[in-house]
């Protein structure tokens, strides 16, 4: 696919993202990627474009839960494995965990045991980059495990929230911006 075809395919993906006002709480505009996942052509576009960004990574790390779906698809296209970083309590064997601040309260993410050796080069994937707290916590978790974070890729970046800045110096890629 050349650049023009790629841009056209991504514009089509953007058109499939559904904006849901006041979900999950009043004042939040939720960007629902479900219609993108359900559309074979759009799903393939997302997988292919994210895979192209993985660069020198030797594994993709997907953030629960929508990061699993697009991260796994991208991993398959890139010929890489996928490691899920999960919310607390879902993994039988945990290598390490990180707790970070949300707008209200905290959240914990866990890295599965025996999946990433120190020195592994990971490309981290999630659906939406908002404030960057989730992605930054995931990158910190990986760095603590001795993993080199090659980059972070999102399907959609909400630029006004400044999440990209929280990830520095990790290179941040977004297929689409809003
Ligand atoms: P943040 O930590 O603020 O960057 O939030 C990122 C995580 O929350 C991602 O896993 C997203 O799936 C989800 N998220 C945050 N804000 C939104 C939004 N407006 N629409 C859809 N998902 C969101």
């Amino acid at each position: 696919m050349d650049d023009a075809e790629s841009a056209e395919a991504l514009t089509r993906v953007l058109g499939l993202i559904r904006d849901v006002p006041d979900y999950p709480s009043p004042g939040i505009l939720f960007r629902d990627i479900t219609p993108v996942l359900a559309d074979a052509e759009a799903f393939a576009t997302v997988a292919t474009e994210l895979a192209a960004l993985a660069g020198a990574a030797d594994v993709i790390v997907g953030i629960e839960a929508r990061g699993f779906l697009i991260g796994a698809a991208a991993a398959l296209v890139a010929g890489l494995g996928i490691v899920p970083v999960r919310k607390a309590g879902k993994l039988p064997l945990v290598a390490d965990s990180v707790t970070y601040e949300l707008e209200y309260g905290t959240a914990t993410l866990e890295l599965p045991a025996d999946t990433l050796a120190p020195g592994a080069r990971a490309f981290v994937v999630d659906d939406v980059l908002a404030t960057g707290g989730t992605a930054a916590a995931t990158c910190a978790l990986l760095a603590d495990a001795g993993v080199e974070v090659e980059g972070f890729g999102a399907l959609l970046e909400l630029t006004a929230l400044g999440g990209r800045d929280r990830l520095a110096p990790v290179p941040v890629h977004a297929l689409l911006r809003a």
Side-chain angles (χ1 to χ4, degrees):
M1 223 192 274
D2 65 26
D3 286 355
E5 287 168 334
S6 170
E8 194 181 322
L10 284 169
T11 300
R12 188 170 170 278
V13 171
L14 184 61
L16 288 169
I17 297 176
R18 193 163 47 189
D19 289 352
V20 184
D22 299 319
Y23 181 86
S25 49
I28 302 290
L29 181 61
F30 190 82
R31 315 295 178 136
D32 180 18
I33 69 157
T34 312
V36 176
L37 301 173
D39 184 288
E41 188 185 326
F43 187 48
T45 298
V46 172
T48 308
E49 297 287 334
L50 281 175
L53 296 171
D58 49 31
V59 67
I60 287 184
V61 170
I63 303 177
E64 185 160 356
R66 292 175 293 274
F68 296 171
L69 294 165
I70 58 175
L76 204 57
V77 172
L80 302 175
I82 171 88
V83 171
V85 163
R86 301 215 61 178
K87 292 174 181 161
K90 304 282 188 185
L91 291 167
L93 296 170
V94 175
D96 200 0
S97 69
V98 63
T99 297
Y100 64 103
E101 301 288 328
L102 296 175
E103 194 178 357
Y104 300 105
T106 60
T108 297
L109 292 172
E110 294 180 339
L111 182 65
D114 305 324
T115 50
L116 294 174
R121 298 188 307 271
F123 184 70
V124 182
V125 170
D126 202 0
D127 64 333
V128 173
L129 176 64
T131 66
T134 307
T138 300
C139 292
L141 182 61
L142 293 169
D144 282 353
V147 173
E148 289 172 30
V149 181
E150 295 283 315
F152 169 83
L155 166 52
L156 179 67
E157 176 183 4
L158 304 180
T159 52
L161 298 178
R164 172 178 291 267
D165 300 337
R166 290 181 66 176
L167 286 174
V170 172
V172 175
H173 307 272
L175 302 186
L176 296 165
R177 290 179 185 81

